[in-house]
Amino acid sequence: MSRINVRYRSGNEKTTFQLPIIVSGSTTNERNITVHVGLDTDTLKVLNQERFNNRTDLYYQVLPKKFYSHSETVQINAGQDVALMPIDFSMEGIDLSDKWVLPLTIEESPDGNYTPNYRKHYRKALLRVMPFNDYSGNYSATAMNIYFADSSNDPLVVDNRRAHVVDENTVFFYAGTKEDNAIDRETYKINVKFEEPSEVTETKKKGNLTITAANSSINFQLTEHPTYEIWDEMDTNQPYLMHRYYVLYIKYTYDDITTSNVPTSYRAEGSLTMERKINITCLLYTSDA
């Protein structure tokens, strides 16, 4: 399984990933080869069974064809040992409550022009497709306290919250203590949209969040207007490294309607924080190019 991060783009815009196809052997390839590439759903079925057994809700799903496109063949010319197969991803509308994989394999040559390498993993690529935007990623949630609605003692805390892409300016996470591997996770999806910043300085942005629950039956309600801050700090020891911090300030209530027969009300308050480390020399190079 290989994780690939794919920039989310809306509309007809696409993000291209280059998958290398390699000719094995100890000598340089001396002929033109047309390699055929196709789906390999059987390997994914075996992986799901061995890794998750009866937890079918956690199974990796085959990425639907509408979210990607690629040529069925790749040309490797004489004198070359590697060719790149472009895969175009267009992820608008994808639901990341499920885990999506593009399982590819080198198929048999219809004319006997080549032989796939049958050593384990050598002819297969299980691409774990992970769309991202400017705000998605792993947020520390240790400063977000979750209480029973009628109590202010002994808060529940989770270590982190994964923010998944919805669109270019929106992510979702799961309410309260619901984890990414919970059977009932989709019931508790909370969409968080980053509005245009209302205050901008040279190093900091501040703005409002628009937060809604995907499922109205959990009675999600904001108890204070949610906001965010984003700021940059240069590393004190590594002058090429910039730290970008994202902080979300959120207070809300919701009902847990699936754990027991009687709904349980909770309230959550605090902040979520994510740090990204950015090599500014790469940014400068890209800008100059």
Side-chain angles (χ1 to χ4, degrees):
M1 184 78 68
S2 299
R3 170 173 169 162
I4 61 171
N5 296 316
V6 177
R7 163 66 74 170
Y8 178 93
R9 302 186 190 279
S10 60
N12 295 323
E13 291 189 84
K14 301 181 184 298
T15 298
T16 301
F17 174 78
Q18 301 285 358
L19 179 67
I21 308 293
I22 303 172
V23 180
S24 61
S26 58
T27 60
T28 301
N29 171 45
E30 297 180 347
R31 56 198 174 93
N32 296 328
I33 304 174
T34 301
V35 181
H36 294 254
V37 178
L39 281 178
D40 181 24
T41 57
D42 290 341
T43 297
L44 193 59
K45 290 177 183 178
V46 173
L47 174 66
N48 281 329
Q49 181 63 39
E50 292 183 350
R51 183 168 295 186
F52 303 114
N53 200 1
N54 294 325
R55 282 294 305 273
T56 56
D57 61 295
L58 297 180
Y59 277 20
Y60 295 113
Q61 305 296 320
V62 178
L63 185 68
K65 180 63 178 174
K66 65 180 180 179
F67 294 122
Y68 73 94
S69 63
H70 66 82
S71 173
E72 295 181 354
T73 61
V74 180
Q75 185 69 27
I76 304 178
N77 295 322
Q80 298 179 336
D81 295 320
V82 180
L84 298 177
M85 184 182 81
I87 307 174
D88 293 328
F89 291 97
S90 181
M91 311 301 288
E92 186 171 34
I94 195 167
D95 183 357
L96 294 180
S97 296
D98 290 317
K99 299 177 292 186
W100 301 103
V101 171
L102 179 56
L104 299 175
T105 186
I106 295 176
E107 298 178 331
E108 297 284 347
S109 173
D111 57 4
N113 192 31
Y114 64 86
T115 301
N117 191 324
Y118 286 99
R119 291 190 62 183
K120 189 176 182 180
H121 310 310
Y122 273 46
R123 67 186 178 111
K124 301 178 184 293
L126 300 182
L127 303 180
R128 172 75 169 98
V129 183
M130 294 291 292
F132 71 94
N133 63 16
D134 289 341
Y135 312 107
S136 62
N138 200 38
Y139 285 76
S140 170
T142 54
M144 176 65 70
N145 294 326
I146 300 104
Y147 302 90
F148 289 105
D150 57 354
S151 174
S152 296
N153 300 319
D154 301 323
L156 304 171
V157 177
V158 295
D159 290 336
N160 55 70
R161 271 279 168 264
R162 180 80 191 179
H164 304 274
V165 168
V166 176
D167 59 37
E168 287 182 315
N169 297 309
T170 308
V171 297
F172 78 82
F173 59 86
Y174 300 111
T177 59
K178 293 297 178 180
E179 301 285 356
D180 276 29
N181 61 355
I183 293 177
D184 55 357
R185 59 189 179 275
E186 195 163 1
T187 302
Y188 300 92
K189 283 175 63 174
I190 306 299
N191 293 329
V192 180
K193 181 179 180 181
F194 289 72
E195 303 293 351
E196 287 294 322
S198 56
E199 181 181 334
V200 180
T201 65
E202 186 175 345
T203 58
K204 180 175 285 192
K205 298 178 183 178
K206 294 183 179 181
N208 296 319
L209 299 168
T210 298
I211 304 181
T212 56
N215 185 350
S216 61
S217 61
I218 68 171
N219 295 320
F220 176 85
Q221 293 185 4
L222 293 167
T223 57
E224 191 172 291
H225 192 75
T227 60
Y228 70 87
E229 291 183 345
I230 303 173
W231 71 88
D232 298 331
E233 293 181 7
M234 296 305 301
D235 193 278
T236 55
N237 297 317
Q238 302 172 89
Y240 61 87
L241 190 63
M242 181 174 70
H243 302 264
R244 178 164 293 166
Y245 297 96
Y246 300 74
V247 182
L248 284 55
Y249 303 98
I250 306 173
K251 292 184 179 182
Y252 64 90
T253 61
Y254 77 100
D255 292 343
D256 184 332
I257 61 174
T258 55
T259 301
S260 65
N261 294 328
V262 179
T264 304
S265 297
Y266 291 90
R267 62 184 174 88
E269 54 186 48
S271 61
L272 302 172
T273 303
M274 178 175 69
E275 176 193 2
R276 282 186 173 157
K277 297 178 181 179
I278 302 171
N279 187 331
I280 63 170
T281 58
C282 293
L283 295 178
L284 292 172
Y285 178 80
T286 303
S287 176
D288 292 340

